Amino acid sequence: MLRGAHAISLDTKGRLAIPTRFRDSLHDECDGLLICTIDISNPCLLLYPLAEWELIEKKLRALSSTNPVERRLQRVLLGHAAECELDAQGRFLIPGPLRQHAGLEKKIMLVGQLNKFEIWDDTRWQQQISDDLLALPGEGWESSERLRDFAL
């Protein structure tokens, strides 16, 4: 289970160190093989353990390559997908084009989302959380059947 928000610094080579508490499970679950791609809705990256990414690939494979919208989604997600392998120190290199897309420089946030991580520039993350907290109370939860009975 990938959860929590973790403040991390990229090193000068563009490597990110996965927090220690996730390293063993990622090695056990996927031999330390991860897939990083862009998020199509937000200026961040998505980092999947290989087995989780393979489920996404199966869904992408089922899409039509002749439907322009479906083909566009395949092109964007698969075209940006990069294999990343954890090294002995639990680090992996985020390729330059992905770092550029998300505006990643030094201070980043690694945010667990159950089956994947989001990778955010720290400043963008702080703004996104502020926006989300302001928007949530007025979102009209009653319009979503799944949220109607949601309680904390």
Side-chain angles (χ1 to χ4, degrees):
M1 205 57 69
L2 307 175
R3 63 174 80 90
H6 310 272
I8 300 175
S9 294
L10 286 179
D11 69 13
T12 56
K13 295 180 182 179
R15 293 178 299 192
L16 177 152
I18 296 289
T20 307
R21 70 183 227 156
F22 299 112
R23 291 179 193 173
D24 287 342
S25 63
L26 288 173
H27 277 293
D28 293 345
E29 210 178 295
C30 60
D31 292 327
L33 294 174
L34 307 167
I35 303 295
C36 191
T37 192
I38 65 173
D39 186 321
I40 60 171
S41 303
N42 296 292
C44 69
L45 302 177
L46 303 175
L47 182 66
Y48 291 90
L50 181 60
E52 291 291 335
W53 175 253
E54 288 172 340
L55 298 173
I56 302 296
E57 280 185 335
K58 186 175 181 180
K59 293 175 187 177
L60 289 168
R61 191 176 297 118
L63 298 176
S64 170
S65 62
T66 59
N67 177 302
V69 175
E70 293 179 17
R71 182 70 184 124
R72 191 172 292 124
L73 181 63
Q74 290 171 326
R75 184 180 305 116
V76 169
L77 291 178
L78 293 169
H80 287 92
E83 286 188 18
C84 303
E85 187 171 0
L86 294 180
D87 66 14
Q89 289 79 38
R91 301 172 303 189
F92 70 93
L93 176 68
I94 301 175
L98 294 180
R99 289 195 312 266
Q100 183 179 1
H101 169 80
L104 303 179
E105 291 185 25
K106 181 75 175 157
K107 294 174 65 177
I108 65 165
M109 293 297 294
L110 183 70
V111 183
Q113 295 292 297
L114 301 177
N115 68 331
K116 65 183 173 288
F117 288 110
E118 292 178 345
I119 303 172
W120 288 84
D121 166 73
D122 181 64
T123 302
R124 286 182 173 173
W125 168 252
Q126 298 306 329
Q127 184 60 56
Q128 184 65 50
I129 284 301
S130 292
D131 293 347
D132 289 345
L133 289 171
L134 287 172
L136 271 175
E139 287 285 325
W141 288 34
E142 66 281 349
S143 65
S144 170
E145 192 172 312
R146 287 182 288 237
L147 291 177
R148 236 178 255 140
D149 297 323
F150 187 81
L152 294 173

